[in-house]
């Protein structure tokens, strides 16, 4: 446990039983999260199967350029979180912190774009949460994902603070590693949202 | 103080058992009230409105707040001991799981005093639950949401514990059956509970924020609720029954002094049942109109579950066959389980016949079926497990004489209550109706049914009495409590287990490790390590504070439908919750160590006490 002074190991994230436990628990947790999102996707698809006569429909609503920008922000942030983990494994504190900060900022850009998007829908298109079933399922699915992104940024932020205090060691490394896994997961979910909600909404 | 800050899995197990039992008494009183109301035709003991609340709370309480926690209690108390571990993987999170369940349950029951309990049935079908029912539904949604979060955390905790913390040599194919069953159960929890979470969220958003998921007039679709609910709900009934299978396997083999028959097939059957549990949810929806193809597929899948279940039944019988059976109370409950559960399974296959289900649906036949499975199966199994492991958990036996009265009254009362309900169902008596006209001739059988319920009530009082008297002056139990017939690792340490469980981690060389060692003339299991320092986690007050935050947040959200400013209360509750999480993550607690000398003293004191 009290291994602050222990020598640095190449894979500090799974060097202890505690780390291994966290690692495994997190994979299980992601299994559960998959079911969560699957249910939301199912609901969304079920309720948007027939949108004839629903105004505004997805094709009128969605603005692909902003969505593209948001997508890029999130995809790149996944990459930067990988860079951060690579630095973590090299025990390079400063660079790791830097890449995590970039990740957080990109996350915030994403959330900002999303909030702006919702704001436009509500004010300009008068498309609110209670407009119809399409609106409810759209905002819920997207909001759930956006909430995950926002939570993730706060999580990584606390870890940045923690490593400032404690450094990279076998207690902090599993946490950092897990946070980056989470971040990739959120990214993958976004890819599905992009396809199912936006592309299919525009095209289908 | 120790009890509210504890992170010891054994104490958390006891907390689960105690609070589960308390809620079992609530649910039992509700059951008795229902049966009093239905005892005679045209009764006006309860109003229709109160009846609906009581039926809903009875089902919800029994499933989420009574038997689930009892399962969690046994798994906490026993699984780490069976796998030779010092603790679960995440002791802190374990405490959080317990307190979340507890406060979720309290929140749900607060509804009685704050405007009426939920009344849309435990399945909360939309649009009734969505549009027509009042505040009680909000208690249902948030109470279950909080309790469910605790359950999910518990499931993950036990998955990791079982995968990562087994003693050396304890390979998967040497794992005791109870632990196996808990492993599969935890997998089911992991994949089923998130569906419930989403279902509850959708209902919550509909009710509080004006969503339209289940409101057909705004493009919503109530059938989505049914799908999501049963994608959770069907695996849920297997979450309930699989642990009973595990308990039964351990109890029967130990109390018949025989190795479980067909171990490999037992394990495979568990895995197969766990898998199929996810493929059959639509058998609850045959009458919804999914179409003949969907109905047939789900019917066949459902019937397929009978095959692995049959394998298990036969293996139990073969284990008993030629064994030196001891008719302890634990074993009586296990033996009572077998025929009862077979009947419940048979009516299950009958219900899976789609065309027949159009007749059975929402009748008392269904009520009889699921009580045969849940009470005749799971509750019998729980009693077996509780009588069996009680000496291990508390260091004292429950009284066997009272135990036998407990069994016979419960067994006879059970069949008296639920057997006639099959016929009532075939005669057309619908469920969830608060009364029935005299001309239909349902009165006599309902009366018998109510007498049976009274028998079960008396049995439960006897059980309570048993706990009280034996905790004052019960017979002390040795480590290997039952006639020295213990087979698995938990029996190789003293009763109750010391805080660190195993002074030295055991080395497992065979299936039924302790039995094998005894057969080879050893009185203890070979240790895998020398006596050394043991690291223990410290107690913490944070889990209870955190869960209390969730509880307050729940209240805030519930009343926000009437008064938006109570959202501030919700925010305050969430702040407590996330604040205490933050505190926990920023201040590492390194726990404490027990040193070898201290351990040696403790161990020899225990040996002395036993000799
Ligand atoms: C031990 C004595 C029990 C008695 C006498 C009893 C009796 C009843 C009765 C009369 C109903 C109402 C049926 C209807 O009108 O639809 C009912 C419903 C139900 N019971 Fe029990 N019950 C008992 C134990 C249990 C247990 C242990 C469980 C679960 C673990 C359970 C789960 C349920 C469920 C899920 C419902 C359906 C509630 C609903 O329709 O919302 N019961 N019970
Ligand atoms: Cu089912």
């Amino acid at each position: 446990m009290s291994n602050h002074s222990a020598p640095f190991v190449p894979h500090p994230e799974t060097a202890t039983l505690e780390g291994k436990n966290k690692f495994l628990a997190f994979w299980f947790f992601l299994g559960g999260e998959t079911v969560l999102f699957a249910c939301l996707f199912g609901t969304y698809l079920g309720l948007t199967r027939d949108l004839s006569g629903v105004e505004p429909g997805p094709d009128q609503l969605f603005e692909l350029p902003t969505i593209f920008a948001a997508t890029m922000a999130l995809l790149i942030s996944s990459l930067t979180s990988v860079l951060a983990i690579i630095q973590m494994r090299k025990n390079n504190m400063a660079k790791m912190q830097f890449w995590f900060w970039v990740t957080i900022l990109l996350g915030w850009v994403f959330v900002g774009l999303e909030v702006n998007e919702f704001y436009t829908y509500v004010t300009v298109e008068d498309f609110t949460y209670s407009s119809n079933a399409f609106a409810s399922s759209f905002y819920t699915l997207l909001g759930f994902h956006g909430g995950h992104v926002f939570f993730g940024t706060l999580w990584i932020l606390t870890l940045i603070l923690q490593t400032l205090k404690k450094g990279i060691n076998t207690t902090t490394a599993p946490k950092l590693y897990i946070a980056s896994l989470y971040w990739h997961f959120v990214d993958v979910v976004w890819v599905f949202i992009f396809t199912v909600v936006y592309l299919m909404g525009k095209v289908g | 103080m120790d009890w509210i800050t504890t992170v010891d899995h054994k104490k958390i197990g006891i907390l689960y058992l105690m609070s589960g039992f308390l809620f079992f008494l609530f649910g039992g009183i509700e059951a008795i009230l229902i049966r009093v109301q239905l005892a005679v035709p045209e009764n006006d003991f309860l109003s229709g409105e109160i009846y609906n609340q009581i039926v809903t709370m009875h089902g919800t309480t029994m499933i989420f707040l009574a038997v689930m926690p009892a399962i969690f209690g046994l798994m906490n108390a026993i699984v780490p001991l069976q796998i030779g571990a010092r603790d679960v993987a995440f002791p802190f999170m374990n405490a959080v799981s317990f307190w979340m369940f507890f406060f979720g349950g309290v929140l749900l029951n607060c509804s009685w005093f704050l405007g009426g309990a939920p009344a849309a049935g435990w399945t909360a079908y939309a649009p009734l639950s969505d549009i027509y029912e009042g505040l009680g539904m909000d208690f249902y949604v948030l109470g279950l949401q909080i309790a469910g979060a605790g359950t999910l955390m518990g499931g993950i905790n036990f998955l990791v514990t079982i995968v990562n913390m087994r003693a050396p040599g304890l390979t998967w194919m040497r794992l005791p059956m109870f632990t196996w069953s808990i492993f599969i159960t935890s997998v089911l929890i992991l994949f089923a509970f998130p569906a419930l979470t989403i279902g509850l969220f959708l209902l919550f958003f509909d009710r509080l924020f004006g969503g339209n998921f289940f409101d057909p007039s705004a493009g919503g679709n109530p059938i989505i609720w049914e799908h999501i609910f049963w994608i959770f709900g069907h695996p849920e009934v297997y979450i309930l029954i699989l642990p009973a299978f595990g308990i039964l396997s351990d109890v029967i083999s130990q109390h018949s002094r025989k190795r479980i028959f067909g171990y490999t097939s037992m394990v495979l059957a568990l895995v197969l049942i766990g898998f199929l549990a996810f493929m059959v949810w639509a058998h609850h929806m045959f009458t919804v109109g999914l179409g003949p193809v969907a109905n047939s597929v789900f019917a066949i899948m459902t019937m397929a579950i009978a095959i692995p279940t049959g394998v298990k039944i036969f293996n139990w019988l073969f284990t008993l066959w030629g064994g030196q059976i001891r008719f302890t109370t634990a074993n009586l409950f296990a033996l009572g389980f077998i025929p009862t559960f077979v009947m419940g399974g048979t009516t299950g296959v009958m219900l899976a016949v789609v065309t027949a289900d159009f007749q059975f649906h929402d009748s008392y036949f269904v009520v009889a079926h699921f009580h045969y499975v849940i009470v005749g199966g799971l509750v019998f199994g729980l009693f077996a497990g509780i009588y069996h492991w009680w000496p291990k958990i508390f260091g004292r036996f429950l009284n066997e004489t009272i135990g036998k009265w407990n069994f016979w009254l419960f067994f006879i009362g059970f069949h008296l209550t639920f057997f006639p309900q099959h016929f009532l169902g075939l005669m057309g008596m619908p469920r969830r109706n608060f009364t029935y006209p005299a001309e239909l001739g349902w009165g006599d059988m309902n009366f018998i049914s109510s007498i049976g319920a009274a028998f079960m009530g008396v049995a439960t009082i006897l059980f309570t009495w048993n706990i009280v008297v034996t905790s004052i002056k019960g017979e002390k139990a040795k480590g290997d409590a039952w006639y020295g017939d213990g087979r698995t690792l938990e029996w190789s340490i003293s009763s109750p287990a010391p805080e660190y469980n195993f002074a030295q981690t055991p080395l497992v060389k065979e299936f039924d490790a302790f039995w094998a060692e005894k057969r080879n003339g050893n009185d203890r299991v070979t240790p895998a390590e020398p006596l050394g320092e043991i690291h223990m986690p410290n107690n913490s007050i944070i889990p209870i504070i955190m869960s209390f935050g969730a509880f307050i947040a729940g209240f805030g959200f519930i009343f926000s439908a009437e008064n938006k400013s109570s959202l501030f209360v919700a925010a305050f509750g969430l702040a407590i919750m996330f604040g205490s999480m933050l505190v926990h993550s920023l201040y590492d607690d390194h726990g404490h160590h027990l040193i070898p000398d201290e351990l040696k003293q403790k161990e020899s004191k225990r040996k002395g006490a036993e000799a």
Side-chain angles (χ1 to χ4, degrees), chain A residues 11-24:
Chain A
H11 279 273
E13 69 273 13
T14 48
T16 61
L17 176 62
E18 236 189 304
K20 283 197 191 90
N21 284 347
K22 287 212 171 103
F23 184 69
L24 185 64

Side-chain angles (χ1 to χ4, degrees), chain B residues 310-331:
Chain B
V311 168
K312 301 198 78 78
I313 303 275
F314 280 109
N315 282 341
W316 290 321
L317 294 177
F318 286 132
T319 308
L320 288 162
W321 190 275
Q324 299 168 35
I325 303 175
R326 300 192 197 266
F327 292 96
T328 54
T329 308
N331 209 16

Side-chain angles (χ1 to χ4, degrees), chain B residues 24 27-28 30-35 38 51-52 54-64 66-68 119-124 240 362-364 367-368 370-371 374-376 378-379 382 410 413-414 417-418 421 429-434 446 449-450 452-454 456-457 460:
Chain B
F24 182 76
E30 283 150 8
I32 300 273
L33 291 177
I34 301 174
R35 280 317 325 168
L38 295 178
Y51 182 88
N52 286 348
I54 291 183
V55 169
T56 303
M57 283 299 277
H58 162 71
T60 313
T61 303
M62 282 298 192
I63 289 190
F64 291 100
V67 294
M68 286 277 287
W122 87 282
T123 51
L240 300 180
D362 263 346
S363 77
Y364 258 77
V367 177
F370 69 72
H371 283 88
I374 324 187
V375 184
L378 172 64
V379 177
L382 283 172
F410 200 81
F414 168 81
T417 310
F418 293 107
Q421 292 185 2
M429 179 167 159
R431 65 188 283 211
R432 294 172 172 167
N433 274 24
F434 81 108
N446 268 300
S449 179
S450 297
M456 282 192 277
T460 310

Side-chain angles (χ1 to χ4, degrees), chain B residues 193-217:
Chain B
F193 267 74
L196 176 68
T197 306
I198 289 300
L200 292 174
F201 265 132
L202 299 184
L203 198 52
F204 175 69
F205 293 156
D206 259 17
R207 294 182 56 85
L208 297 181
F209 305 144
N212 301 306
F213 292 105
F214 307 127
D215 179 1
S217 68

Side-chain angles (χ1 to χ4, degrees), chain B residues 1-36:
Chain B
M1 198 56 188
D2 190 40
W3 285 96
I4 64 174
T5 58
T6 188
V7 296
D8 178 359
H9 68 92
K10 298 177 287 298
K11 288 195 170 148
I12 292 175
I14 293 174
L15 286 173
Y16 264 121
L17 284 171
M18 286 196 323
S19 28
F21 186 62
L22 191 75
F23 284 119
F24 182 76
L25 295 180
F26 283 13
I29 291 170
E30 283 150 8
I32 300 273
L33 291 177
I34 301 174
R35 280 317 325 168
V36 171

Side-chain angles (χ1 to χ4, degrees), chain A residues 8 80-81 83-104 156 159-161 163-168 176:
Chain A
F8 188 78
T80 58
S81 78
L83 295 175
I85 292 299
I86 292 176
Q87 296 303 331
M88 178 194 87
R89 289 203 178 122
K90 291 186 186 151
N91 200 15
N92 192 334
M93 180 75 157
K95 283 195 180 152
M96 179 191 85
Q97 299 257 344
F98 170 77
W99 286 119
F100 270 135
W101 270 115
V102 178
T103 309
I104 292 178
I156 297 178
L159 292 179
I160 288 184
L161 296 179
T163 42
L164 279 180
K165 210 167 103 189
K166 297 182 184 152
I168 301 170
L176 293 162

Side-chain angles (χ1 to χ4, degrees), chain B residues 234 237 280 283-284:
Chain B
H234 190 83
V237 304
V280 301
H283 64 208
H284 297 268

Side-chain angles (χ1 to χ4, degrees), chain A residues 1-4 17-18 20-29 31-33 35-37 39-40 42-43 46-47 49 129-138 140 144 151 158 161-162 165-166 171 175, chain B residues 88-90 93 152 156 159-161 163-165 183 190-192 194-195 197-198 201-202 205-206 209-213 215 218-221 224 228 231 535 578 581-582 585-591 593:
Chain A
M1 282 293 301
S2 41
N3 31 32
H4 296 273
L17 176 62
E18 236 189 304
K20 283 197 191 90
N21 284 347
K22 287 212 171 103
F23 184 69
L24 185 64
F26 203 76
W27 276 106
F28 285 131
F29 171 75
E33 288 269 283
V35 178
L36 279 178
F37 278 106
C39 288
L40 287 178
T43 306
L47 291 178
R49 208 164 33 184
Y129 192 77
S130 26
S131 291
N132 50 39
F134 162 54
S136 307
S137 54
F138 170 80
T140 305
F144 217 72
F151 174 80
T158 56
L161 296 179
Q162 208 176 36
K165 210 167 103 189
K166 297 182 184 152
T171 347
K175 298 185 188 174
Chain B
V88 294
F90 307 102
M93 186 164 99
L152 186 57
I156 293 181
L159 282 175
V160 176
T161 305
V163 175
N164 272 359
M165 315 254 297
F183 180 72
L190 176 64
F191 292 114
T197 306
I198 289 300
F201 265 132
L202 299 184
F205 293 156
D206 259 17
F209 305 144
N212 301 306
F213 292 105
D215 179 1
N221 185 350
I224 290 184
I228 294 182
I231 284 172
H535 172 247
F578 285 107
M581 270 160 78
L582 194 68
S585 76
L586 289 184
Y587 296 95
D588 273 347
D589 187 336
H590 295 295
H593 287 85

